[in-house]
């Protein structure tokens, strides 16, 4: 009976150790400078069912640097990020001046942004991200499902 308990406790410890090392390895792969190379977008108007599909290649608008300490540069903005499983969450803030509707008065505004990406693929020099967002325009309420392919610059 002692041998069975001993064997069970060894197996249990090995299970915890393997989970820990798996998590650490996946975070190390994401650190670096990433540049977008292409984007596919599906915009769906939820009130009418109209679907608009677009492809952008090359698509170089998105660029970010992820550092070991959890800080990042998202375009020209400094921020932080969290990488948990297949989720990449980037947090940043910025200040800008926005024109009010009357066309004559400017207001200063501070903006805190969060971008929540789903990682569809992550390999040595390639990462595929999904970003879903919502909004409204004169045609109604819409959802956009973007798939962005990134390449690691260094």
């Amino acid at each position: 009976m002692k041998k069975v308990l001993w064997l069970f406790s060894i197996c249990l410890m090995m299970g915890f150790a393997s989970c820990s090392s798996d998590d650490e390895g996946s975070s190390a792969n994401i650190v670096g400078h990433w540049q977008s190379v292409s984007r596919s977008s599906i915009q769906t108007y939820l009130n009418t069912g109209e679907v608009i599909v677009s492809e952008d290649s090359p698509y170089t608008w998105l660029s970010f640097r992820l550092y070991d300490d959890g800080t990042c540069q998202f375009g020209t903005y400094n921020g932080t990020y969290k990488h948990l499983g297949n989720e990449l969450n980037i947090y940043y803030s910025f200040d800008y001046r926005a024109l009010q509707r009357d066309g004559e008065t400017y207001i200063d505004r501070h903006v805190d942004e969060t971008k929540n990406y789903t990682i569809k693929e992550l390999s040595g020099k390639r990462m595929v991200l999904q970003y879903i967002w919502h909004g409204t325009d004169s045609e109604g309420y819409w959802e956009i499902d973007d798939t962005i392919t990134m390449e690691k610059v260094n």
Side-chain angles (χ1 to χ4, degrees):
M1 183 67 172
K2 286 183 181 180
K3 287 183 181 180
V4 171
L5 286 174
W6 181 80
L7 183 59
F8 176 73
S9 63
I10 293 296
C11 290
L12 189 61
M13 286 188 293
M14 289 176 64
F16 285 124
S18 66
C19 291
S20 173
S21 63
D22 289 347
D23 293 342
E24 292 166 8
S26 61
S27 292
N29 290 336
I30 205 162
V31 171
H33 180 190
W34 294 91
Q35 177 66 52
S36 61
V37 293
S38 67
R39 178 183 80 160
S40 64
S41 183
I42 301 170
Q43 181 174 2
T44 305
Y45 282 92
L46 302 175
N47 56 324
T48 65
E50 178 186 3
V51 176
I52 301 169
V53 177
S54 63
E55 299 280 335
D56 296 315
S57 185
Y59 179 77
T60 58
W61 177 83
L62 182 60
S63 174
F64 52 78
R65 295 174 191 263
L66 306 175
Y67 301 103
D68 285 326
D69 65 357
T71 60
C72 67
Q73 287 181 302
F74 186 77
T76 59
Y77 307 117
N78 293 322
T80 60
Y81 74 95
K82 289 190 190 292
H83 174 222
L84 302 168
N86 70 338
E87 297 296 320
L88 174 62
N89 303 315
I90 297 177
Y91 312 95
Y92 62 98
S93 60
F94 57 93
D95 295 310
Y96 75 96
R97 297 187 68 128
L99 182 63
Q100 287 183 335
R101 289 186 183 247
D102 62 15
E104 298 190 22
T105 307
Y106 287 91
I107 56 171
D108 288 324
R109 187 170 172 200
H110 179 79
V111 177
D112 293 315
E113 288 275 338
T114 300
K115 299 290 185 186
N116 299 311
Y117 297 100
T118 300
I119 301 171
K120 295 298 194 178
E121 177 186 331
L122 178 60
S123 58
K125 295 220 175 243
R126 178 180 159 96
M127 179 167 45
V128 178
L129 301 173
Q130 180 182 36
Y131 180 65
I132 298 175
W133 48 299
H134 301 89
T136 58
D137 62 19
S138 62
E139 296 183 40
Y141 182 68
W142 47 259
E143 174 184 273
I144 295 181
D145 183 346
D146 278 338
T147 300
I148 304 165
T149 301
M150 311 286 290
E151 287 185 353
K152 191 178 259 188
V153 177
N154 61 15

